[in-house]
Short mmCIF file of all heavy atoms in Angstrom, two decimals:
data_model
loop_
_atom_site.label_atom_id
_atom_site.label_comp_id
_atom_site.label_asym_id
_atom_site.label_seq_id
_atom_site.Cartn_x
_atom_site.Cartn_y
_atom_site.Cartn_z
N PHE Y 1 0.84 -1.18 0.00
CA PHE Y 1 0.00 0.00 0.00
C PHE Y 1 0.87 1.23 0.00
O PHE Y 1 1.82 1.33 0.74
CB PHE Y 1 -0.90 0.00 1.23
CG PHE Y 1 -1.63 1.30 1.44
CD1 PHE Y 1 -2.74 1.57 0.69
CD2 PHE Y 1 -1.19 2.22 2.36
CE1 PHE Y 1 -3.42 2.75 0.87
CE2 PHE Y 1 -1.87 3.39 2.55
CZ PHE Y 1 -2.99 3.66 1.80
N ARG Y 2 0.52 2.20 -0.80
CA ARG Y 2 1.21 3.49 -0.81
C ARG Y 2 0.18 4.56 -0.46
O ARG Y 2 -0.90 4.59 -0.99
CB ARG Y 2 1.76 3.80 -2.19
CG ARG Y 2 2.88 2.91 -2.59
CD ARG Y 2 3.47 3.52 -3.86
NE ARG Y 2 4.06 2.51 -4.68
CZ ARG Y 2 5.20 1.92 -4.42
NH1 ARG Y 2 5.86 2.19 -3.35
NH2 ARG Y 2 5.69 1.02 -5.24
N GLY Y 3 0.56 5.44 0.44
CA GLY Y 3 -0.31 6.55 0.81
C GLY Y 3 -0.35 7.57 -0.31
O GLY Y 3 0.41 7.53 -1.26
N LEU Y 4 -1.27 8.50 -0.19
CA LEU Y 4 -1.37 9.57 -1.17
C LEU Y 4 -0.16 10.47 -1.07
O LEU Y 4 0.37 10.70 0.01
CB LEU Y 4 -2.65 10.37 -0.93
CG LEU Y 4 -3.94 9.57 -1.11
CD1 LEU Y 4 -5.12 10.41 -0.67
CD2 LEU Y 4 -4.09 9.15 -2.55
N ARG Y 5 0.26 11.01 -2.17
CA ARG Y 5 1.43 11.88 -2.21
C ARG Y 5 0.98 13.33 -2.37
O ARG Y 5 -0.05 13.59 -3.00
CB ARG Y 5 2.35 11.50 -3.37
CG ARG Y 5 2.88 10.08 -3.29
CD ARG Y 5 3.84 9.97 -2.11
NE ARG Y 5 4.51 8.70 -2.13
CZ ARG Y 5 4.33 7.75 -1.22
NH1 ARG Y 5 3.52 7.92 -0.22
NH2 ARG Y 5 4.98 6.63 -1.30
N PRO Y 6 1.76 14.28 -1.85
CA PRO Y 6 1.41 15.69 -2.01
C PRO Y 6 1.24 16.06 -3.47
O PRO Y 6 1.98 15.60 -4.33
CB PRO Y 6 2.62 16.42 -1.42
CG PRO Y 6 3.22 15.45 -0.47
CD PRO Y 6 2.96 14.09 -1.07
N GLY Y 7 0.23 16.91 -3.73
CA GLY Y 7 0.02 17.39 -5.08
C GLY Y 7 -0.84 16.49 -5.94
O GLY Y 7 -1.10 16.79 -7.08
N ARG Y 8 -1.29 15.39 -5.42
CA ARG Y 8 -2.12 14.48 -6.21
C ARG Y 8 -3.57 14.95 -6.19
O ARG Y 8 -4.09 15.34 -5.16
CB ARG Y 8 -2.04 13.06 -5.64
CG ARG Y 8 -0.65 12.45 -5.62
CD ARG Y 8 -0.24 11.97 -6.94
NE ARG Y 8 -1.18 10.91 -7.30
CZ ARG Y 8 -1.12 10.23 -8.40
NH1 ARG Y 8 -0.19 10.47 -9.26
NH2 ARG Y 8 -2.00 9.30 -8.66
N SER Y 9 -4.25 14.90 -7.32
CA SER Y 9 -5.63 15.37 -7.39
C SER Y 9 -6.54 14.54 -6.50
O SER Y 9 -7.49 15.05 -5.93
CB SER Y 9 -6.12 15.34 -8.84
OG SER Y 9 -6.07 14.03 -9.34
N ASP Y 10 -6.27 13.25 -6.34
CA ASP Y 10 -7.12 12.42 -5.50
C ASP Y 10 -7.00 12.81 -4.03
O ASP Y 10 -7.92 12.63 -3.26
CB ASP Y 10 -6.84 10.93 -5.70
CG ASP Y 10 -5.38 10.56 -5.73
OD1 ASP Y 10 -4.52 11.45 -5.67
OD2 ASP Y 10 -5.10 9.36 -5.83
N GLN Y 11 -5.90 13.41 -3.63
CA GLN Y 11 -5.75 13.87 -2.25
C GLN Y 11 -6.61 15.11 -2.04
O GLN Y 11 -7.23 15.25 -1.01
CB GLN Y 11 -4.29 14.18 -1.95
CG GLN Y 11 -4.08 14.54 -0.49
CD GLN Y 11 -2.61 14.66 -0.15
OE1 GLN Y 11 -1.78 14.89 -1.02
NE2 GLN Y 11 -2.30 14.53 1.10
N ARG Y 12 -6.66 16.01 -2.99
CA ARG Y 12 -7.47 17.21 -2.85
C ARG Y 12 -8.94 16.84 -2.70
O ARG Y 12 -9.67 17.45 -1.94
CB ARG Y 12 -7.26 18.14 -4.04
CG ARG Y 12 -5.90 18.82 -4.01
CD ARG Y 12 -5.81 19.92 -5.05
NE ARG Y 12 -6.05 19.44 -6.40
CZ ARG Y 12 -5.10 19.01 -7.22
NH1 ARG Y 12 -3.85 18.98 -6.83
NH2 ARG Y 12 -5.39 18.62 -8.44
N CYS Y 13 -9.41 15.82 -3.40
CA CYS Y 13 -10.80 15.39 -3.29
C CYS Y 13 -11.12 14.92 -1.88
O CYS Y 13 -12.21 15.15 -1.38
CB CYS Y 13 -11.09 14.27 -4.29
SG CYS Y 13 -11.02 14.82 -6.00
#
Side-chain angles (χ1 to χ4, degrees):
F1 170 78
R2 291 190 208 286
L4 296 172
R5 300 292 189 247
R8 300 282 297 181
S9 61
D10 45 357
Q11 185 172 23
R12 288 190 302 269
C13 293

